[in-house]
């Protein structure tokens, strides 16, 4: 079964300010991950390329990082999970409608 799941949030702040939030991911001061609804996300070597971790029984490795604007993961567990979840901060231009 193929699953594509996209979550989008519009945050009315400059991209640079929102990107700073990514630096808190997987830390004790995490402002990104919804840990009140999901197990906390953690990485063995912190938030850096090649670090392994995950949340609950979901495991992955950080396979790409770009100045805290883009973080891409590769699933490693559970068996059968194939894919590359990604967190991305994109600047919007023009009028924003919600």
């Amino acid at each position: 079964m193929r699953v594509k799941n996209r979550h989008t949030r519009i945050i009315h702040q400059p991209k640079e300010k929102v990107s700073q939030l990514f630096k808190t991911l997987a830390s004790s001061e995490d402002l990104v991950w919804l840990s009140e609804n999901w197990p906390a996300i953690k990485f063995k070597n912190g938030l850096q390329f090649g670090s392994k971790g995950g949340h609950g029984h979901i495991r992955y490795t950080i396979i790409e990082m770009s100045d805290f604007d883009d973080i891409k993961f590769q699933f490693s567990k559970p068996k059968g999970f194939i894919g590359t979840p990604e967190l991305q901060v994109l600047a919007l231009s023009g009028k924003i409608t919600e």
Side-chain angles (χ1 to χ4, degrees):
M1 172 174 48
R2 182 167 247 241
V3 176
K4 185 172 184 172
N5 190 353
R6 174 176 264 170
H7 300 269
T8 303
R9 306 289 183 273
I10 296 175
I11 302 171
H12 297 276
Q13 295 292 322
K15 178 182 176 187
E16 296 75 23
K17 188 171 182 178
V18 176
S19 293
Q20 293 299 310
L21 296 175
F22 272 29
K23 292 181 180 181
T24 70
L25 184 65
S27 75
S28 60
E29 303 296 322
D30 195 328
L31 297 171
V32 178
W33 195 256
L34 298 174
S35 58
E36 65 272 5
N37 297 320
W38 296 89
I41 188 170
K42 297 179 184 188
F43 291 94
K44 184 176 181 178
N45 296 316
L47 198 59
Q48 64 181 354
F49 176 82
S51 194
K52 297 179 185 305
H55 63 284
H57 67 282
I58 308 295
R59 313 309 298 159
Y60 28 67
T61 301
I62 298 173
I63 60 170
E64 289 180 26
M65 283 189 68
S66 175
D67 297 328
F68 296 99
D69 292 325
D70 189 7
I71 304 171
K72 193 173 197 176
F73 312 93
Q74 176 71 53
F75 283 120
S76 57
K77 288 184 182 177
K79 186 177 179 179
F81 271 44
I82 300 167
T84 52
E86 187 171 7
L87 298 172
Q88 214 174 26
V89 178
L90 303 171
L92 299 175
S93 61
K95 186 176 181 178
I96 299 170
T97 59
E98 296 181 42

